Amino acid sequence: MEKMNKKIVLEDGSEYCGYGFGADTESINEIVFNTSMVGYQEIISDPSYTYQMVVMTYPIIGNYGIADDDFETKVPTIGGLIVREYNDQPSNFRYTKTLSEILEENNIPAIMGVDTRMITRSIRDFGSRKVMITDIDTPTAEAVKRIREYTIPSDAVSKVSCRKKWYSRTAHPRFNVAAIDCGIKLNIVRALNKRGCNVTVLPYNTPAEEVEALNPDGIFLSNGPGNPEDVAPTIELVKKLKGKYPVCGICLGHQMIALAYGAKTFKLKFGHRGGNHPVKNLVTGKIEITSQNHSYAVDAESVKGTGLEITHVNLLDNTVEGLQCTKDKLFSVQYHPESAPGPQDSEYLFDRFIKLMED
């Protein structure tokens, strides 16, 4: 039997030994878990996982390979991947590369053969914290020392945002949307294109004057990684443009809208990640099964008096999942209506944004 060659070490000193795949490199990140049964390609290519190492709770990963058309960003920036069982012989007519090949190309380490159920319970009970993937021969005490001395960078959005504006056009466009890129998933752009929108994707720190010069019909604030309080340029942009254009925000965009209106955000114990979170729409009373990926949430008490109204709540922990300001033609959600693959209960939110621009 092949000898184990890699291990992960948490900052509390616990360690899990297994077999390395992907890039043969050492890395320190924040450890989180994702409960999705499918979609590992979309997960590794979602910019929101920058500086995070993801534990997949579904036991078999890699079995359908990687397809060229399914990336959420061109250059994956996930910190690492932890799985129970990795399949390096995919069965899928669309696949062009294996998961390990893509990880190796982008210098992303991964480990298999560890007890992902035990690791997930540890995250659930003690919260997200720092983790190192390293060679199995690295002394545990040395690994813990380096983990504790390491500070996870706070520049995640500036790392993944585009450097200059780019365009995604569609046939017979009805609207022009300015999308602020804080780590935008490509499927968000596809969803807007499908609904007749030409999309101009702009860096996160684009000044308000440059956005207004485009004369957009609406402004879209994207998802992205990290603490929303670190993204001061985008929060300032919202403050200057709210009320002037229809605005829609997703995930990090939702949190930055809350901050721009004077509400507060806080870090969750272990975040929400997966395609199975029930959310109640307080306006319609309907329950949506949603796809989520975030570490921070909006503080419900702080929303009072800001002019924002809570429209959606998470039924697992009662956190804020949606906000709106009808006066300013603005709304946002914490979850991902473009989820691909995943539940399609929330696609109507893109149509709601289109309706705001029509009106």
Side-chain angles (χ1 to χ4, degrees):
M1 190 173 178
E2 186 182 351
K3 185 180 178 183
M4 291 181 174
N5 61 352
K6 293 287 181 181
K7 67 180 178 180
I8 58 169
V9 182
L10 276 64
E11 58 183 309
D12 61 6
S14 57
E15 63 179 23
Y16 304 84
C17 301
Y19 306 90
F21 67 102
D24 183 14
T25 186
E26 193 173 82
S27 182
I28 301 175
N29 297 275
E30 178 187 22
I31 190 169
V32 299
F33 66 82
N34 187 298
T35 58
S36 299
M37 295 176 68
V38 293
Y40 57 78
Q41 178 174 350
E42 287 81 357
I43 289 167
I44 67 154
S45 62
D46 182 346
S48 296
Y49 285 112
T50 302
Y51 300 136
Q52 291 181 335
M53 198 173 298
V54 181
V55 180
M56 298 299 297
T57 62
Y58 191 72
I60 302 176
I61 301 297
N63 52 305
Y64 54 85
I66 297 290
D68 290 341
D69 296 334
D70 294 346
F71 284 102
E72 292 290 358
T73 187
K74 293 177 181 177
V75 182
T77 53
I78 189 173
L81 193 65
I82 302 167
V83 306
R84 175 60 186 167
E85 182 179 339
Y86 169 61
N87 184 328
D88 203 42
Q89 296 180 317
S91 176
N92 177 9
F93 75 97
R94 295 178 67 236
Y95 104 91
T96 54
K97 292 181 180 179
T98 67
L99 172 59
S100 184
E101 288 169 343
I102 285 295
L103 294 176
E104 187 175 5
E105 286 175 13
N106 291 280
N107 201 37
I108 299 166
I111 188 171
M112 61 176 166
V114 295
D115 189 340
T116 51
R117 288 182 300 179
M118 183 181 290
I119 299 169
T120 300
R121 285 175 179 165
S122 172
I123 298 169
R124 181 196 65 188
D125 294 342
F126 303 109
S128 301
R129 50 213 191 276
K130 287 182 284 187
V131 63
M132 171 190 273
I133 185 169
T134 185
D135 190 85
I136 199 164
D137 294 326
T138 302
T140 303
E142 178 189 327
V144 171
K145 180 176 182 291
R146 288 162 61 188
I147 292 168
R148 290 177 177 170
E149 291 174 348
Y150 181 79
T151 300
I152 294 176
S154 59
D155 64 346
V157 167
S158 63
K159 178 179 178 180
V160 300
S161 179
C162 58
R163 298 292 178 263
K164 60 181 182 179
K165 66 183 175 184
W166 58 275
Y167 305 94
S168 182
R169 298 184 175 92
T170 187
H172 312 297
R174 299 168 59 210
F175 303 104
N176 292 302
V177 172
I180 310 304
D181 178 11
C182 297
I184 196 166
K185 292 171 66 179
L186 292 178
N187 207 51
I188 291 174
V189 178
R190 297 181 195 117
L192 291 169
N193 285 159
K194 189 171 77 172
R195 288 165 174 80
C197 299
N198 278 343
V199 182
T200 303
V201 182
L202 300 162
Y204 80 103
N205 56 356
T206 302
E209 300 73 32
E210 288 187 27
V211 178
E212 292 187 274
L214 297 172
N215 193 28
D217 296 301
I219 295 172
F220 194 96
L221 300 169
S222 85
N223 63 295
N227 186 342
E229 294 180 1
D230 293 334
V231 200
T234 312
I235 296 169
E236 191 61 32
L237 179 74
V238 178
K239 288 179 180 179
K240 290 182 178 179
L241 297 184
K242 63 188 176 79
K244 294 184 179 181
Y245 306 92
V247 176
C248 175
I250 284 179
C251 200
L252 185 69
H254 158 82
Q255 297 160 10
M256 291 187 295
I257 284 173
L259 292 170
Y261 274 80
K264 297 179 180 179
T265 57
F266 66 97
K267 188 167 186 180
L268 295 163
K269 184 177 180 181
F270 49 78
H272 297 162
R273 292 175 184 86
N276 46 14
H277 284 254
V279 167
K280 184 173 183 178
N281 185 325
L282 300 179
V283 178
T284 65
K286 291 184 177 180
I287 310 298
E288 302 168 29
I289 301 302
T290 67
S291 178
Q292 307 214 3
N293 174 17
H294 59 103
S295 295
Y296 291 81
V298 175
D299 178 70
E301 281 296 311
S302 71
V303 174
K304 296 175 181 176
T306 62
L308 293 170
E309 172 192 357
I310 297 173
T311 57
H312 298 72
V313 294
N314 190 303
L315 294 181
L316 298 180
D317 59 8
N318 293 316
T319 50
V320 177
E321 293 281 355
L323 297 167
Q324 71 176 9
C325 178
T326 51
K327 175 176 67 75
D328 289 343
K329 306 180 292 294
L330 170 150
F331 74 95
S332 63
V333 289
Q334 182 61 78
Y335 51 95
H336 286 261
E338 85 294 342
S339 58
Q344 299 178 350
D345 302 22
S346 309
E347 279 196 355
Y348 73 91
L349 291 163
F350 288 107
D351 299 321
R352 182 180 173 190
F353 183 46
I354 299 299
K355 184 71 167 59
L356 281 180
M357 293 190 286
E358 285 176 347
D359 293 344

